[in-house]
Amino acid sequence: MTITREQAAWFHQTFDQLTDNIEKAVLGKRHVVRLALTCLLSEGHLLLEDFPGTGKTMLARALANTVQGSHARIQFTPDLLPSDVTGVTVYDQHKGTFDFHPGPIFHSIVLADEINRASPKTQSALLEVMEEGRVTVDGRPHEVGRPFMVIATQNPIEQAGTYRLPEAQLDRFLMKSSVGYPDKAATIELLLNAGVRDRAALVTPVITAQTIAQMSGLADEVYVDPAVVGYVAELAEESRRQPHVKLGLSARGCLAFIRVAKTWAAADGRDHVVPDDVRALAEPVLCHRLLLDAEAQFTGVTVDAVISRLLDAVAPPTDRVATR
């Protein structure tokens, strides 16, 4: 079964409505907002890395407020324990039983603020539930439910007292992006409304968790032509042959490419994926998955330059993409 054009049109309309709602809090960053929504509807997790004060936490809170469901914020610190994230089993003297007290991870959308400030042990506890969708405490599994999305933030500066996420763990994030500084027009509008202390509070729920699950199901039914699948496979193979690349695109990364391309196509009102969808999403999907060697640092080669060179090296399919 594939998504119908009527369903694609409804998906597009709803997606734009969600984007407009989040933009009440995050001004002038429509592309980043669309990426965050694409990540949510693709049932993945998002890593936001940017300088302080650019609106990373605001974007995450606005996205959480848009969905009529539960959400939580975890401020990561060096003394944060894994049980502070996942929960703990406590003995009830009156009942004579052990009861599980769920942690803040048991919400639809979880904001992990400054994830690189927590110890590797605590980071592993979060990354495990991101991958498995459940928490195991004292040998008993506990499902976190659906939808479930983790939005993690970290700063590229102030590295003192931080623990860098391992490259293998970064692959668990579906996409990585940055908000960036607002342009002049957005800055002026922000300053004119300086009396608004919390812009995320302006964002009210416009969609239920059940509708999010419905939209995710529709995105899965978007048609992907074999030529587009072959294009993603060629990009993966070429990424492993690129100079200065120590670790190329993994099989999990290829699956991420297809998943987000389907959602991106539906958000555009289409019932099929085109090569431009893959190219548009190359940077957020690849930037945290390509590991460069030590020589790249000395020669000034960046991941963005490698991605650009990769897209130039692999020509997109020119054959007509069928919609059925």
Side-chain angles (χ1 to χ4, degrees), residues 3-254:
I3 185 174
T4 65
R5 294 183 178 178
E6 291 76 15
Q7 289 173 326
W10 172 81
F11 193 107
H12 168 64
Q13 181 181 2
T14 307
F15 192 93
D16 282 351
Q17 182 183 3
L18 296 174
T19 304
D20 294 339
N21 196 52
I22 296 175
E23 277 196 305
K24 296 177 183 177
V26 186
L27 303 177
K29 297 296 177 181
R30 191 171 185 85
H31 180 70
V32 180
V33 171
R34 287 173 60 86
L35 287 177
L37 282 171
T38 299
C39 198
L40 170 64
L41 297 174
S42 301
E43 298 185 338
H45 309 287
L46 177 65
L47 177 62
L48 293 173
E49 182 180 82
D50 212 333
F51 298 110
T54 54
K56 301 184 298 295
T57 304
M58 191 69 67
L59 171 60
R61 290 183 55 213
L63 177 62
N65 290 345
T66 297
V67 181
Q68 190 177 8
S70 61
H71 57 272
R73 177 178 181 267
I74 308 173
Q75 180 64 53
F76 278 66
T77 56
D79 60 345
L80 191 73
L81 299 176
S83 58
D84 295 331
V85 176
T86 59
V88 64
T89 300
V90 179
Y91 180 71
D92 190 327
Q93 293 183 348
H94 298 287
K95 297 180 181 178
T97 58
F98 287 92
D99 295 332
F100 175 67
H101 291 226
I105 199 66
F106 286 87
H107 289 81
S108 299
I109 298 178
V110 179
L111 169 60
D113 219 355
E114 296 187 295
I115 186 176
N116 56 334
R117 293 200 176 277
S119 66
K121 188 175 183 179
T122 304
Q123 291 177 0
S124 298
L126 175 67
L127 295 168
E128 179 185 3
V129 67
M130 287 168 53
E131 181 72 14
E132 304 295 335
R134 64 176 179 268
V135 172
T136 302
V137 179
D138 295 334
R140 296 186 59 184
H142 304 273
E143 300 290 334
V144 295
R146 291 178 61 190
F148 172 64
M149 178 184 184
V150 172
I151 305 175
T153 71
Q154 64 178 14
N155 298 328
I157 61 174
E158 299 179 82
Q159 295 303 320
T162 63
Y163 304 87
R164 182 179 177 184
L165 287 173
E167 284 76 7
Q169 302 287 13
L170 285 173
D171 197 28
R172 300 184 188 276
F173 286 95
L174 187 63
M175 290 193 291
K176 176 184 175 183
S177 185
S178 61
V179 180
Y181 292 112
D183 57 21
K184 183 178 179 180
T187 302
I188 292 175
E189 184 177 353
L190 187 67
L191 296 177
L192 289 175
N193 295 278
V196 181
R197 302 291 183 182
D198 186 5
R199 299 192 66 88
L202 302 176
V203 179
T204 55
V206 296
I207 195 171
T208 62
Q210 291 76 14
T211 307
I212 290 292
Q214 180 185 357
M215 294 179 71
S216 298
L218 288 177
D220 288 338
E221 297 176 1
V222 172
Y223 177 79
V224 185
D225 191 83
V228 177
V229 175
Y231 179 47
V232 172
E234 288 181 23
L235 286 172
E237 292 182 357
E238 182 63 29
S239 71
R240 300 160 194 158
R241 295 192 293 262
Q242 285 290 308
H244 304 298
V245 175
K246 185 165 61 174
L247 183 65
L249 185 62
S250 64
R252 183 179 352 195
C254 294

